[in-house]
Amino acid sequence: MTVEYILLLFAVFFIGLKYFAEAPKDAFKKSGPVLALRVEKQLITGDGFKPNNERNAWDAEP
């Protein structure tokens, strides 16, 4: 009976390990195009850019 429990524990462990290894890869595959679209939209619209004369408060002095 103990052998069956140990084999079941190993099976559950390896199935969980496979899930945890695959989940980040799937997340990056699905979110990559969305992130690229957001970056392109910000570059096209110029969102967040300031004219050369104005500086942000966190910028270091030149």
Side-chain angles (χ1 to χ4, degrees):
M1 191 72 165
T2 304
V3 174
E4 288 88 4
Y5 284 130
I6 291 173
L7 290 174
L8 183 63
L9 182 67
F10 275 126
V12 169
F13 174 74
F14 284 119
I15 290 171
L17 187 64
K18 182 183 183 299
Y19 172 75
F20 284 122
E22 294 288 323
K25 184 173 68 172
D26 291 341
F28 282 121
K29 276 186 176 180
K30 293 177 183 172
S31 66
V34 174
L35 179 61
L37 180 66
R38 289 178 64 192
V39 168
E40 281 189 36
K41 182 167 177 68
Q42 288 177 353
L43 286 174
I44 289 171
T45 60
D47 187 31
F49 296 106
K50 293 194 175 269
N52 289 336
N53 301 0
E54 296 181 27
R55 297 182 58 80
N56 292 326
W58 59 83
D59 282 345
E61 292 294 324

CSV table of all heavy atoms in Angstrom, one decimal:
chain,number,residue,atom,x,y,z
A,1,MET,N,0.8,-1.2,0.0
A,1,MET,CA,0.0,0.0,0.0
A,1,MET,C,0.9,1.3,0.0
A,1,MET,O,0.5,2.2,-0.6
A,1,MET,CB,-0.9,0.0,1.2
A,1,MET,CG,-2.0,1.0,1.2
A,1,MET,SD,-3.2,0.5,0.0
A,1,MET,CE,-4.5,1.5,0.4
A,2,THR,N,2.0,1.2,0.7
A,2,THR,CA,2.9,2.4,0.7
A,2,THR,C,3.5,2.6,-0.6
A,2,THR,O,3.7,3.8,-1.0
A,2,THR,CB,4.0,2.1,1.8
A,2,THR,OG1,3.4,1.8,3.0
A,2,THR,CG2,4.9,3.3,1.9
A,3,VAL,N,3.8,1.6,-1.3
A,3,VAL,CA,4.4,1.7,-2.7
A,3,VAL,C,3.4,2.5,-3.6
A,3,VAL,O,3.8,3.4,-4.4
A,3,VAL,CB,4.8,0.4,-3.3
A,3,VAL,CG1,5.3,0.5,-4.7
A,3,VAL,CG2,5.8,-0.3,-2.4
A,4,GLU,N,2.2,2.1,-3.5
A,4,GLU,CA,1.2,2.8,-4.4
A,4,GLU,C,1.1,4.3,-4.0
A,4,GLU,O,1.0,5.1,-4.9
A,4,GLU,CB,-0.2,2.2,-4.2
A,4,GLU,CG,-0.3,0.8,-4.8
A,4,GLU,CD,0.1,-0.3,-3.9
A,4,GLU,OE1,0.4,0.0,-2.7
A,4,GLU,OE2,0.1,-1.5,-4.3
A,5,TYR,N,1.1,4.6,-2.7
A,5,TYR,CA,1.1,6.0,-2.3
A,5,TYR,C,2.3,6.8,-2.8
A,5,TYR,O,2.2,7.9,-3.3
A,5,TYR,CB,0.9,6.2,-0.8
A,5,TYR,CG,-0.4,5.9,-0.3
A,5,TYR,CD1,-0.6,5.0,0.8
A,5,TYR,CD2,-1.6,6.5,-0.9
A,5,TYR,CE1,-1.9,4.7,1.2
A,5,TYR,CE2,-2.8,6.2,-0.4
A,5,TYR,CZ,-3.0,5.3,0.7
A,5,TYR,OH,-4.3,5.1,1.1
A,6,ILE,N,3.4,6.2,-2.7
A,6,ILE,CA,4.7,6.8,-3.2
A,6,ILE,C,4.6,7.0,-4.7
A,6,ILE,O,5.0,8.1,-5.2
A,6,ILE,CB,5.9,6.0,-2.8
A,6,ILE,CG1,6.1,6.1,-1.3
A,6,ILE,CG2,7.2,6.5,-3.5
A,6,ILE,CD1,7.1,5.2,-0.7
A,7,LEU,N,4.2,6.0,-5.5
A,7,LEU,CA,4.0,6.2,-6.9
A,7,LEU,C,3.0,7.2,-7.3
A,7,LEU,O,3.2,8.0,-8.2
A,7,LEU,CB,3.6,4.8,-7.5
A,7,LEU,CG,4.7,3.8,-7.5
A,7,LEU,CD1,4.2,2.5,-8.1
A,7,LEU,CD2,5.9,4.2,-8.3
A,8,LEU,N,1.9,7.3,-6.5
A,8,LEU,CA,0.9,8.3,-6.8
A,8,LEU,C,1.5,9.7,-6.5
A,8,LEU,O,1.2,10.7,-7.2
A,8,LEU,CB,-0.3,8.1,-5.9
A,8,LEU,CG,-1.5,9.0,-6.1
A,8,LEU,CD1,-2.0,8.9,-7.5
A,8,LEU,CD2,-2.6,8.7,-5.1
A,9,LEU,N,2.2,9.8,-5.4
A,9,LEU,CA,2.9,11.1,-5.0
A,9,LEU,C,3.8,11.5,-6.1
A,9,LEU,O,3.8,12.7,-6.5
A,9,LEU,CB,3.6,10.9,-3.7
A,9,LEU,CG,4.2,12.2,-3.1
A,9,LEU,CD1,3.2,13.2,-2.8
A,9,LEU,CD2,5.1,11.8,-1.9
A,10,PHE,N,4.6,10.6,-6.6
A,10,PHE,CA,5.6,11.0,-7.7
A,10,PHE,C,4.8,11.4,-9.0
A,10,PHE,O,5.2,12.3,-9.6
A,10,PHE,CB,6.5,9.8,-8.0
A,10,PHE,CG,7.7,9.7,-7.2
A,10,PHE,CD1,8.0,8.6,-6.5
A,10,PHE,CD2,8.5,10.8,-7.1
A,10,PHE,CE1,9.1,8.5,-5.7
A,10,PHE,CE2,9.7,10.8,-6.3
A,10,PHE,CZ,10.0,9.6,-5.5
A,11,ALA,N,3.7,10.7,-9.3
A,11,ALA,CA,3.0,11.0,-10.5
A,11,ALA,C,2.4,12.4,-10.4
A,11,ALA,O,2.4,13.2,-11.3
A,11,ALA,CB,1.9,10.0,-10.7
A,12,VAL,N,1.8,12.7,-9.2
A,12,VAL,CA,1.2,14.1,-9.0
A,12,VAL,C,2.3,15.1,-9.0
A,12,VAL,O,2.1,16.2,-9.6
A,12,VAL,CB,0.4,14.1,-7.7
A,12,VAL,CG1,0.0,15.5,-7.3
A,12,VAL,CG2,-0.8,13.2,-7.8
A,13,PHE,N,3.4,14.8,-8.4
A,13,PHE,CA,4.6,15.8,-8.4
A,13,PHE,C,5.0,16.1,-9.8
A,13,PHE,O,5.2,17.2,-10.2
A,13,PHE,CB,5.7,15.2,-7.6
A,13,PHE,CG,6.9,16.1,-7.6
A,13,PHE,CD1,7.0,17.3,-7.0
A,13,PHE,CD2,8.0,15.6,-8.4
A,13,PHE,CE1,8.1,18.0,-7.0
A,13,PHE,CE2,9.2,16.4,-8.4
A,13,PHE,CZ,9.2,17.6,-7.8
A,14,PHE,N,5.2,15.1,-10.7
A,14,PHE,CA,5.7,15.3,-12.0
A,14,PHE,C,4.7,16.0,-12.9
A,14,PHE,O,5.0,16.8,-13.8
A,14,PHE,CB,6.2,14.0,-12.6
A,14,PHE,CG,7.5,13.6,-12.1
A,14,PHE,CD1,7.7,12.4,-11.5
A,14,PHE,CD2,8.6,14.4,-12.3
A,14,PHE,CE1,8.9,12.0,-11.0
A,14,PHE,CE2,9.9,14.0,-11.8
A,14,PHE,CZ,10.0,12.8,-11.1
A,15,ILE,N,3.4,15.7,-12.7
A,15,ILE,CA,2.3,16.4,-13.4
A,15,ILE,C,2.3,17.9,-13.0
A,15,ILE,O,2.2,18.8,-13.9
A,15,ILE,CB,1.0,15.8,-13.2
A,15,ILE,CG1,0.9,14.4,-13.9
A,15,ILE,CG2,-0.2,16.7,-13.7
A,15,ILE,CD1,-0.3,13.6,-13.6
A,16,GLY,N,2.5,18.2,-11.7
A,16,GLY,CA,2.5,19.5,-11.3
A,16,GLY,C,3.8,20.2,-11.8
A,16,GLY,O,3.7,21.4,-12.2
A,17,LEU,N,4.9,19.5,-11.8
A,17,LEU,CA,6.1,20.1,-12.3
A,17,LEU,C,6.0,20.5,-13.8
A,17,LEU,O,6.5,21.5,-14.2
A,17,LEU,CB,7.3,19.1,-12.1
A,17,LEU,CG,8.7,19.6,-12.4
A,17,LEU,CD1,9.1,20.7,-11.5
A,17,LEU,CD2,9.7,18.4,-12.3
A,18,LYS,N,5.4,19.6,-14.5
A,18,LYS,CA,5.2,19.9,-16.0
A,18,LYS,C,4.3,21.1,-16.1
A,18,LYS,O,4.6,22.0,-17.0
A,18,LYS,CB,4.5,18.7,-16.7
A,18,LYS,CG,4.3,18.9,-18.2
A,18,LYS,CD,3.6,17.7,-18.8
A,18,LYS,CE,3.4,17.9,-20.3
A,18,LYS,NZ,2.7,19.0,-20.7
A,19,TYR,N,3.2,21.3,-15.3
A,19,TYR,CA,2.4,22.4,-15.4
A,19,TYR,C,3.1,23.7,-15.1
A,19,TYR,O,3.0,24.7,-15.8
A,19,TYR,CB,1.2,22.3,-14.5
A,19,TYR,CG,0.3,23.5,-14.4
A,19,TYR,CD1,-0.5,23.9,-15.4
A,19,TYR,CD2,0.4,24.4,-13.3
A,19,TYR,CE1,-1.2,25.1,-15.3
A,19,TYR,CE2,-0.3,25.5,-13.2
A,19,TYR,CZ,-1.1,25.9,-14.2
A,19,TYR,OH,-1.9,27.0,-14.2
A,20,PHE,N,3.9,23.7,-14.0
A,20,PHE,CA,4.7,24.9,-13.6
A,20,PHE,C,5.8,25.2,-14.6
A,20,PHE,O,6.2,26.4,-14.7
A,20,PHE,CB,5.3,24.7,-12.2
A,20,PHE,CG,4.3,24.9,-11.1
A,20,PHE,CD1,4.0,23.9,-10.2
A,20,PHE,CD2,3.5,26.1,-11.0
A,20,PHE,CE1,3.1,24.0,-9.2
A,20,PHE,CE2,2.6,26.2,-10.0
A,20,PHE,CZ,2.4,25.2,-9.1
A,21,ALA,N,6.3,24.3,-15.4
A,21,ALA,CA,7.3,24.6,-16.4
A,21,ALA,C,6.6,25.1,-17.7
A,21,ALA,O,7.2,26.0,-18.3
A,21,ALA,CB,8.1,23.3,-16.7
A,22,GLU,N,5.4,24.7,-18.0
A,22,GLU,CA,4.7,25.1,-19.2
A,22,GLU,C,4.0,26.5,-19.0
A,22,GLU,O,3.9,27.2,-20.0
A,22,GLU,CB,3.7,24.1,-19.6
A,22,GLU,CG,4.3,22.8,-20.1
A,22,GLU,CD,5.0,22.9,-21.4
A,22,GLU,OE1,4.6,23.6,-22.3
A,22,GLU,OE2,6.1,22.3,-21.5
A,23,ALA,N,3.5,26.8,-17.8
A,23,ALA,CA,2.7,28.0,-17.6
A,23,ALA,C,3.4,29.3,-18.0
A,23,ALA,O,2.8,30.1,-18.7
A,23,ALA,CB,2.2,28.0,-16.2
A,24,PRO,N,4.6,29.5,-17.5
A,24,PRO,CA,5.3,30.8,-17.9
A,24,PRO,C,5.5,30.9,-19.4
A,24,PRO,O,5.4,32.0,-20.0
A,24,PRO,CB,6.6,30.8,-17.2
A,24,PRO,CG,6.4,29.8,-16.1
A,24,PRO,CD,5.4,28.8,-16.6
A,25,LYS,N,5.8,29.8,-20.1
A,25,LYS,CA,6.1,29.8,-21.5
A,25,LYS,C,4.8,30.2,-22.3
A,25,LYS,O,4.8,31.0,-23.2
A,25,LYS,CB,6.6,28.5,-22.0
A,25,LYS,CG,6.9,28.4,-23.5
A,25,LYS,CD,7.6,27.1,-23.9
A,25,LYS,CE,6.6,26.0,-23.8
A,25,LYS,NZ,7.1,24.7,-24.3
A,26,ASP,N,3.7,29.6,-21.9
A,26,ASP,CA,2.4,30.0,-22.5
A,26,ASP,C,2.0,31.4,-22.2
A,26,ASP,O,1.5,32.1,-23.1
A,26,ASP,CB,1.3,29.1,-22.0
A,26,ASP,CG,1.4,27.6,-22.4
A,26,ASP,OD1,2.2,27.4,-23.4
A,26,ASP,OD2,0.8,26.7,-21.8
A,27,ALA,N,2.3,31.9,-21.0
A,27,ALA,CA,1.9,33.3,-20.7
A,27,ALA,C,2.7,34.3,-21.5
A,27,ALA,O,2.2,35.3,-22.0
A,27,ALA,CB,2.2,33.6,-19.2
A,28,PHE,N,4.0,34.0,-21.7
A,28,PHE,CA,4.8,34.9,-22.6
A,28,PHE,C,4.4,34.8,-24.0
A,28,PHE,O,4.5,35.8,-24.7
A,28,PHE,CB,6.3,34.6,-22.4
A,28,PHE,CG,6.9,35.1,-21.1
A,28,PHE,CD1,7.5,34.2,-20.2
A,28,PHE,CD2,6.9,36.4,-20.8
A,28,PHE,CE1,8.1,34.7,-19.1
A,28,PHE,CE2,7.4,36.9,-19.7
A,28,PHE,CZ,8.0,36.1,-18.8
A,29,LYS,N,4.0,33.6,-24.5
A,29,LYS,CA,3.6,33.5,-25.9
A,29,LYS,C,2.3,34.3,-26.1
A,29,LYS,O,2.2,35.0,-27.2
A,29,LYS,CB,3.4,32.1,-26.3
A,29,LYS,CG,4.6,31.3,-26.7
A,29,LYS,CD,4.2,29.9,-27.2
A,29,LYS,CE,5.4,29.2,-27.7
A,29,LYS,NZ,5.1,27.9,-28.1
A,30,LYS,N,1.4,34.3,-25.2
A,30,LYS,CA,0.1,35.0,-25.4
A,30,LYS,C,0.2,36.5,-25.1
A,30,LYS,O,-0.5,37.2,-25.7
A,30,LYS,CB,-0.9,34.3,-24.4
A,30,LYS,CG,-1.3,32.9,-24.8
A,30,LYS,CD,-2.2,32.3,-23.9
A,30,LYS,CE,-2.5,30.8,-24.2
A,30,LYS,NZ,-3.3,30.1,-23.2
A,31,SER,N,1.1,36.9,-24.2
A,31,SER,CA,1.2,38.3,-23.9
A,31,SER,C,2.1,39.1,-24.7
A,31,SER,O,2.1,40.3,-24.7
A,31,SER,CB,1.6,38.5,-22.4
A,31,SER,OG,2.9,38.0,-22.2
A,32,GLY,N,3.0,38.4,-25.4
A,32,GLY,CA,4.0,39.1,-26.3
A,32,GLY,C,3.4,40.0,-27.3
A,32,GLY,O,3.8,41.2,-27.4
A,33,PRO,N,2.4,39.5,-28.1
A,33,PRO,CA,1.8,40.4,-29.1
A,33,PRO,C,1.1,41.6,-28.5
A,33,PRO,O,1.1,42.7,-29.1
A,33,PRO,CB,0.9,39.5,-29.9
A,33,PRO,CG,1.4,38.1,-29.7
A,33,PRO,CD,2.0,38.1,-28.3
A,34,VAL,N,0.5,41.4,-27.4
A,34,VAL,CA,-0.3,42.5,-26.7
A,34,VAL,C,0.7,43.6,-26.3
A,34,VAL,O,0.5,44.8,-26.5
A,34,VAL,CB,-1.1,41.9,-25.5
A,34,VAL,CG1,-1.7,43.1,-24.8
A,34,VAL,CG2,-2.1,41.0,-26.0
A,35,LEU,N,1.8,43.2,-25.7
A,35,LEU,CA,2.8,44.1,-25.3
A,35,LEU,C,3.4,44.9,-26.5
A,35,LEU,O,3.6,46.1,-26.4
A,35,LEU,CB,4.0,43.4,-24.5
A,35,LEU,CG,5.1,44.3,-24.0
A,35,LEU,CD1,4.6,45.3,-23.0
A,35,LEU,CD2,6.2,43.4,-23.4
A,36,ALA,N,3.7,44.2,-27.5
A,36,ALA,CA,4.2,44.8,-28.7
A,36,ALA,C,3.2,45.8,-29.3
A,36,ALA,O,3.6,46.9,-29.7
A,36,ALA,CB,4.6,43.8,-29.8
A,37,LEU,N,2.0,45.5,-29.3
A,37,LEU,CA,0.9,46.4,-29.7
A,37,LEU,C,0.9,47.7,-28.9
A,37,LEU,O,0.8,48.8,-29.4
A,37,LEU,CB,-0.4,45.8,-29.7
A,37,LEU,CG,-1.6,46.6,-30.2
A,37,LEU,CD1,-1.4,46.9,-31.7
A,37,LEU,CD2,-2.9,45.9,-30.0
A,38,ARG,N,1.0,47.5,-27.6
A,38,ARG,CA,1.0,48.7,-26.7
A,38,ARG,C,2.2,49.6,-26.9
A,38,ARG,O,2.1,50.8,-26.9
A,38,ARG,CB,1.0,48.2,-25.2
A,38,ARG,CG,-0.4,47.6,-24.8
A,38,ARG,CD,-0.4,47.2,-23.4
A,38,ARG,NE,-0.2,48.3,-22.5
A,38,ARG,CZ,0.1,48.1,-21.2
A,38,ARG,NH1,0.2,46.9,-20.7
A,38,ARG,NH2,0.2,49.2,-20.5
A,39,VAL,N,3.4,49.0,-27.1
A,39,VAL,CA,4.6,49.7,-27.3
A,39,VAL,C,4.5,50.5,-28.7
A,39,VAL,O,4.8,51.7,-28.7
A,39,VAL,CB,5.9,48.8,-27.3
A,39,VAL,CG1,7.1,49.5,-27.9
A,39,VAL,CG2,6.1,48.3,-25.9
A,40,GLU,N,4.0,49.8,-29.7
A,40,GLU,CA,3.9,50.5,-31.0
A,40,GLU,C,2.9,51.6,-30.9
A,40,GLU,O,3.1,52.7,-31.5
A,40,GLU,CB,3.4,49.5,-32.1
A,40,GLU,CG,4.5,48.6,-32.6
A,40,GLU,CD,4.1,47.8,-33.8
A,40,GLU,OE1,3.3,48.4,-34.6
A,40,GLU,OE2,4.5,46.7,-33.9
A,41,LYS,N,1.8,51.5,-30.2
A,41,LYS,CA,0.8,52.5,-30.1
A,41,LYS,C,1.4,53.7,-29.4
A,41,LYS,O,1.2,54.9,-29.8
A,41,LYS,CB,-0.4,52.0,-29.4
A,41,LYS,CG,-1.5,53.1,-29.3
A,41,LYS,CD,-2.8,52.5,-28.8
A,41,LYS,CE,-3.9,53.5,-28.7
A,41,LYS,NZ,-4.3,54.1,-29.9
A,42,GLN,N,2.2,53.5,-28.3
A,42,GLN,CA,2.8,54.6,-27.6
A,42,GLN,C,3.8,55.3,-28.5
A,42,GLN,O,4.0,56.5,-28.4
A,42,GLN,CB,3.4,54.1,-26.3
A,42,GLN,CG,2.4,53.7,-25.3
A,42,GLN,CD,3.0,53.2,-24.0
A,42,GLN,OE1,4.2,52.9,-23.9
A,42,GLN,NE2,2.1,52.9,-23.0
A,43,LEU,N,4.6,54.5,-29.3
A,43,LEU,CA,5.5,55.2,-30.1
A,43,LEU,C,4.9,56.0,-31.2
A,43,LEU,O,5.3,57.1,-31.6
A,43,LEU,CB,6.5,54.1,-30.8
A,43,LEU,CG,7.5,53.5,-29.8
A,43,LEU,CD1,8.2,52.4,-30.5
A,43,LEU,CD2,8.4,54.5,-29.3
A,44,ILE,N,3.8,55.5,-31.8
A,44,ILE,CA,3.1,56.2,-32.8
A,44,ILE,C,2.4,57.5,-32.3
A,44,ILE,O,2.5,58.6,-32.9
A,44,ILE,CB,2.0,55.3,-33.5
A,44,ILE,CG1,2.6,54.2,-34.3
A,44,ILE,CG2,1.0,56.1,-34.3
A,44,ILE,CD1,1.7,53.1,-34.8
A,45,THR,N,1.8,57.4,-31.1
A,45,THR,CA,1.1,58.6,-30.6
A,45,THR,C,2.0,59.5,-29.9
A,45,THR,O,1.7,60.6,-29.6
A,45,THR,CB,0.0,58.2,-29.7
A,45,THR,OG1,0.5,57.4,-28.6
A,45,THR,CG2,-1.1,57.3,-30.4
A,46,GLY,N,3.3,59.1,-29.5
A,46,GLY,CA,4.2,59.9,-28.8
A,46,GLY,C,3.8,60.1,-27.4
A,46,GLY,O,4.2,61.1,-26.7
A,47,ASP,N,3.1,59.1,-26.8
A,47,ASP,CA,2.7,59.2,-25.4
A,47,ASP,C,3.9,59.1,-24.5
A,47,ASP,O,4.7,58.2,-24.6
A,47,ASP,CB,1.7,58.1,-25.1
A,47,ASP,CG,1.1,58.2,-23.7
A,47,ASP,OD1,1.0,59.4,-23.3
A,47,ASP,OD2,0.8,57.2,-23.2
A,48,GLY,N,4.0,60.1,-23.6
A,48,GLY,CA,5.1,60.0,-22.6
A,48,GLY,C,6.3,60.8,-22.9
A,48,GLY,O,7.2,60.9,-22.1
A,49,PHE,N,6.4,61.3,-24.2
A,49,PHE,CA,7.6,62.0,-24.6
A,49,PHE,C,7.4,63.5,-24.3
A,49,PHE,O,6.3,64.0,-24.3
A,49,PHE,CB,7.9,61.8,-26.1
A,49,PHE,CG,8.2,60.4,-26.4
A,49,PHE,CD1,7.3,59.6,-27.1
A,49,PHE,CD2,9.4,59.9,-26.1
A,49,PHE,CE1,7.5,58.3,-27.4
A,49,PHE,CE2,9.7,58.6,-26.4
A,49,PHE,CZ,8.8,57.8,-27.1
A,50,LYS,N,8.5,64.2,-23.9
A,50,LYS,CA,8.5,65.6,-23.6
A,50,LYS,C,9.4,66.3,-24.6
A,50,LYS,O,10.3,65.8,-25.2
A,50,LYS,CB,9.0,65.9,-22.2
A,50,LYS,CG,8.1,65.3,-21.1
A,50,LYS,CD,8.5,65.9,-19.8
A,50,LYS,CE,7.6,65.5,-18.8
A,50,LYS,NZ,6.5,66.3,-18.6
A,51,PRO,N,9.1,67.6,-24.9
A,51,PRO,CA,10.0,68.4,-25.8
A,51,PRO,C,11.4,68.5,-25.2
A,51,PRO,O,11.6,68.2,-24.0
A,51,PRO,CB,9.3,69.8,-25.8
A,51,PRO,CG,7.9,69.5,-25.4
A,51,PRO,CD,7.9,68.4,-24.5
A,52,ASN,N,12.3,68.8,-26.0
A,52,ASN,CA,13.7,68.8,-25.5
A,52,ASN,C,14.0,69.8,-24.4
A,52,ASN,O,14.9,69.6,-23.6
A,52,ASN,CB,14.6,69.2,-26.7
A,52,ASN,CG,14.7,68.0,-27.7
A,52,ASN,OD1,14.5,66.9,-27.4
A,52,ASN,ND2,15.0,68.4,-28.9
A,53,ASN,N,13.2,70.9,-24.3
A,53,ASN,CA,13.5,71.9,-23.3
A,53,ASN,C,13.0,71.4,-21.9
A,53,ASN,O,13.6,71.8,-20.9
A,53,ASN,CB,12.8,73.2,-23.6
A,53,ASN,CG,13.2,73.8,-25.0
A,53,ASN,OD1,14.1,73.2,-25.6
A,53,ASN,ND2,12.7,74.9,-25.4
A,54,GLU,N,12.0,70.7,-21.8
A,54,GLU,CA,11.4,70.3,-20.6
A,54,GLU,C,12.1,69.0,-20.1
A,54,GLU,O,12.4,68.1,-20.9
A,54,GLU,CB,9.9,70.0,-20.7
A,54,GLU,CG,9.1,71.3,-21.0
A,54,GLU,CD,7.6,71.0,-21.2
A,54,GLU,OE1,7.2,70.0,-20.5
A,54,GLU,OE2,7.0,71.7,-21.9
A,55,ARG,N,12.3,68.9,-18.8
A,55,ARG,CA,12.9,67.7,-18.2
A,55,ARG,C,12.0,67.2,-17.1
A,55,ARG,O,11.2,67.8,-16.5
A,55,ARG,CB,14.2,68.1,-17.5
A,55,ARG,CG,15.3,68.7,-18.5
A,55,ARG,CD,16.6,69.0,-17.8
A,55,ARG,NE,17.2,67.8,-17.2
A,55,ARG,CZ,17.9,66.9,-17.7
A,55,ARG,NH1,18.1,66.9,-19.0
A,55,ARG,NH2,18.4,65.9,-17.1
A,56,ASN,N,12.1,65.9,-16.9
A,56,ASN,CA,11.4,65.2,-15.9
A,56,ASN,C,12.0,65.5,-14.5
A,56,ASN,O,13.2,65.7,-14.5
A,56,ASN,CB,11.3,63.7,-16.1
A,56,ASN,CG,10.5,63.4,-17.3
A,56,ASN,OD1,9.5,64.0,-17.6
A,56,ASN,ND2,10.9,62.3,-18.0
A,57,ALA,N,11.2,65.4,-13.5
A,57,ALA,CA,11.8,65.7,-12.1
A,57,ALA,C,12.8,64.7,-11.7
A,57,ALA,O,13.7,65.0,-11.0
A,57,ALA,CB,10.6,65.7,-11.1
A,58,TRP,N,12.8,63.4,-12.3
A,58,TRP,CA,13.7,62.4,-11.8
A,58,TRP,C,15.0,62.4,-12.7
A,58,TRP,O,15.9,61.6,-12.4
A,58,TRP,CB,13.1,61.1,-11.8
A,58,TRP,CG,12.5,60.6,-13.1
A,58,TRP,CD1,13.2,60.1,-14.2
A,58,TRP,CD2,11.2,60.8,-13.6
A,58,TRP,NE1,12.4,59.9,-15.2
A,58,TRP,CE2,11.2,60.3,-15.0
A,58,TRP,CE3,10.0,61.3,-13.1
A,58,TRP,CZ2,10.0,60.3,-15.7
A,58,TRP,CZ3,8.9,61.3,-13.9
A,58,TRP,CH2,8.9,60.8,-15.2
A,59,ASP,N,15.1,63.2,-13.7
A,59,ASP,CA,16.3,63.2,-14.6
A,59,ASP,C,17.5,63.8,-13.8
A,59,ASP,O,17.3,64.7,-13.0
A,59,ASP,CB,16.0,64.0,-15.8
A,59,ASP,CG,15.2,63.3,-16.9
A,59,ASP,OD1,15.1,62.1,-16.7
A,59,ASP,OD2,14.7,63.9,-17.8
A,60,ALA,N,18.6,63.3,-14.1
A,60,ALA,CA,19.8,63.8,-13.5
A,60,ALA,C,20.3,65.1,-14.3
A,60,ALA,O,19.9,65.3,-15.5
A,60,ALA,CB,21.0,62.8,-13.6
A,61,GLU,N,21.0,65.9,-13.6
A,61,GLU,CA,21.5,67.1,-14.3
A,61,GLU,C,22.5,66.7,-15.4
A,61,GLU,O,23.3,65.8,-15.1
A,61,GLU,CB,22.1,68.0,-13.3
A,61,GLU,CG,21.1,68.6,-12.3
A,61,GLU,CD,20.1,69.6,-13.0
A,61,GLU,OE1,20.6,70.3,-13.9
A,61,GLU,OE2,19.0,69.5,-12.6
A,62,PRO,N,22.5,67.4,-16.5
A,62,PRO,CA,23.5,67.1,-17.6
A,62,PRO,C,24.9,67.4,-17.2
A,62,PRO,O,25.2,68.2,-16.4
A,62,PRO,CB,23.0,67.8,-18.8
A,62,PRO,CG,22.1,68.9,-18.3
A,62,PRO,CD,21.6,68.4,-16.9
